[in-house]
Amino acid sequence: MNFTSSGPQPGAIISGKAQVTSASFHADGSKLFVASESDSRLHIIDCQTGKQSTPALRFEREGVSLVESTHHNQCTLVSGNGSADQQPSQRYAVNYHSTHDNKILRKFRGHDDTINNISMSPADDSFLTSSRDRTVRLWSLQQAGAVAKLELPTASEGEPFAAFDSTGLVFGITAAMTAQQGHYIHLYDARNYSGGAFAEMKVTTAQLEKELTPQMARSEWTSMKFNASGNQILVTGKDGLVLTLDGYEGTVQRSFTGKGTTTACWTPDDKTVLTGADDGTLSCWNADTGALIKKLERGHNGPISWVGVNPKYSMFASCDTNTTMW
C-alpha cells in the first residue's frame, strides 16, 4: 500500500443510518461485514464492486454489536445485547449466522454480560470471546458449549480482552492491574492452553509514563491486535491511546498519539499503523519510527469507529455511519 505522495483516495462510500460498532473482512478479501448496534443491522459489502451486495440483515431480538468473519464466506459470528426480557445466557449469546438464508445455525451460550470481542482462529474452527463478566471463553463451531473458560484473578480489575495472533497458534489475554498499576498480557499456546500461559508480561504505569502523559498512561485499554509477524502488539484505549508493544517482552516501542483517536489497525506488511479519529480523519503512521506519514481528511463527516485492511487486496475500509473503501 502506498501512503506517500497523493496517498489513498476514497473509492466507494456505502451509506448507512447508524454508527458502525464492528466490521470484519473475510479472509479471502471478497466481503466486508459491517454491524451497527443502534439499528440492529448487518450490512454485507462486496469488495469488488464497492456496493452492498444484499439488503441489510436485521437482528431485532438478538441485536448485533459485534461481527467476526469465519472461514466460510457466507457465515459470521455475531453478538449483541439481546432483549431485556431474556435470561443473561440467552441475551449475551454468540450466534453462528448464515448470511445466505439469514438463519442462526448455532447459539453459543455462557456469558452473562456484554461481550467485548470475538476472535476467530485463522487455523481452525475455534474462536475466543471476552466479556464484561470477567471471563474469556474458547469455543468450537462444531459444538455449542465452551471448550474452555478462564476467569480473571482478583489481582486484576475491569474486563479482559482476548485475541488470536495471525497464525492461530497463539492467543493473548490482557487485563488491567488493580489500582491503575498497569496491565497484564498473558500468551497461551492454542494447542496446549490447559498448561497455562507460556509468557506473562506486565506493562506498568511507570513504563507507560515514560512515553505517554500521566492521564493516557492510566487509560483503559479497549483492544489488542497482533501484527502479522507476531512480534508486536498494537494496543488502543480511551483518551486517544494507541501504542505498540514488543510481542515477547511487553516493552513499549512506539506511541501514535493523535487528538481524539478512536480505533487503529496494522497493515498486512506490518509497516504501517492506521488510526481513525472522532473528527472523521485517518492518520497513517510509520510503525517503526512512529512518524506520521499522511493524514486523510476526506471520506467521513463523523467520528470513525472502525478501520481495517483487506487481507488480500490493496484496500482498506473505515466506518462512521457510512463505510468508506480506500
Side-chain angles (χ1 to χ4, degrees):
M1 283 184 154
N2 178 22
F3 294 102
T4 59
S5 63
S6 59
Q9 300 296 322
I13 298 177
I14 300 91
S15 297
K17 296 180 179 180
Q19 186 73 34
V20 170
T21 50
S22 175
S24 178
F25 279 106
H26 189 266
D28 67 9
S30 63
K31 294 177 181 178
L32 175 64
F33 301 98
V34 179
S36 49
E37 182 176 19
S38 63
D39 64 357
S40 302
R41 281 174 167 79
L42 179 67
H43 303 264
I44 306 169
I45 297 170
D46 187 316
C47 294
Q48 297 290 331
T49 64
K51 297 179 180 179
Q52 192 165 302
S53 57
T54 60
L57 305 177
R58 303 182 69 175
F59 293 79
E60 294 294 350
R61 184 165 176 78
E62 294 84 5
V64 55
S65 57
L66 294 176
V67 60
E68 177 77 341
S69 299
T70 66
H71 298 293
H72 194 297
N73 67 8
Q74 291 185 327
C75 292
T76 60
L77 290 165
V78 296
S79 73
N81 285 324
S83 176
D85 62 353
Q86 294 174 310
Q87 293 295 320
S89 62
Q90 175 74 14
R91 183 177 180 184
Y92 302 110
V94 178
N95 296 307
Y96 184 35
H97 178 261
S98 168
T99 61
H100 172 68
D101 49 11
N102 195 21
K103 290 183 178 179
I104 294 174
L105 305 177
R106 177 164 288 155
K107 283 183 174 286
F108 301 93
R109 301 182 180 93
H111 287 296
D112 56 19
D113 206 338
T114 301
I115 295 168
N116 62 24
N117 194 49
I118 305 171
S119 180
M120 187 77 207
S121 169
D124 54 32
D125 282 341
S126 60
F127 66 96
L128 288 164
T129 56
S130 47
S131 167
R132 289 180 187 169
D133 66 9
R134 292 176 51 80
T135 69
V136 173
R137 296 169 194 251
L138 179 67
W139 313 80
S140 169
L141 292 178
Q142 307 304 321
Q143 65 182 66
V147 176
K149 173 185 173 183
L150 180 144
E151 296 183 359
L152 289 190
T154 55
S156 67
E157 62 183 18
E159 58 194 74
F161 189 94
F164 278 104
D165 75 349
S166 63
T167 66
L169 301 179
V170 172
F171 63 84
I173 300 173
T174 183
M177 300 179 192
T178 56
Q180 295 188 320
Q181 297 177 80
H183 295 79
Y184 299 106
I185 299 177
H186 287 192
L187 303 181
Y188 294 81
D189 183 336
R191 299 161 297 183
N192 188 32
Y193 52 83
S194 60
F198 67 81
E200 298 181 358
M201 298 178 280
K202 293 182 179 180
V203 185
T204 66
T205 300
Q207 288 176 272
L208 294 171
E209 284 182 336
K210 295 177 182 179
E211 300 287 338
L212 307 166
T213 64
Q215 178 186 359
M216 200 170 288
R218 289 168 172 78
S219 294
E220 178 185 341
W221 290 7
T222 55
S223 78
M224 173 182 71
K225 299 172 184 175
F226 294 89
N227 67 351
S229 303
N231 59 3
Q232 288 181 294
I233 298 170
L234 177 68
V235 170
T236 60
K238 295 184 177 179
D239 304 312
L241 173 69
V242 182
L243 55 86
T244 52
L245 305 173
D246 183 278
Y248 305 114
E249 299 178 354
T251 53
V252 179
Q253 295 192 321
R254 295 286 180 269
S255 64
F256 309 91
T257 53
K259 184 178 179 182
T261 301
T262 54
T263 182
C265 73
W266 294 100
T267 54
D269 60 7
D270 295 344
K271 293 181 179 180
T272 309
V273 171
L274 303 180
T275 62
D278 58 11
D279 63 359
T281 62
L282 289 155
S283 297
C284 313
W285 307 84
N286 184 302
D288 291 329
T289 66
L292 179 63
I293 303 169
K294 192 168 187 64
K295 194 166 188 176
L296 307 175
E297 298 179 331
R298 298 173 55 200
H300 292 282
N301 296 317
I304 297 173
S305 51
W306 184 87
V307 62
V309 180
N310 190 303
K312 291 296 182 183
Y313 303 112
S314 184
M315 168 195 300
F316 68 94
S318 51
C319 304
D320 53 4
T321 55
N322 300 332
T323 299
T324 301
M325 312 292 282
W326 301 79

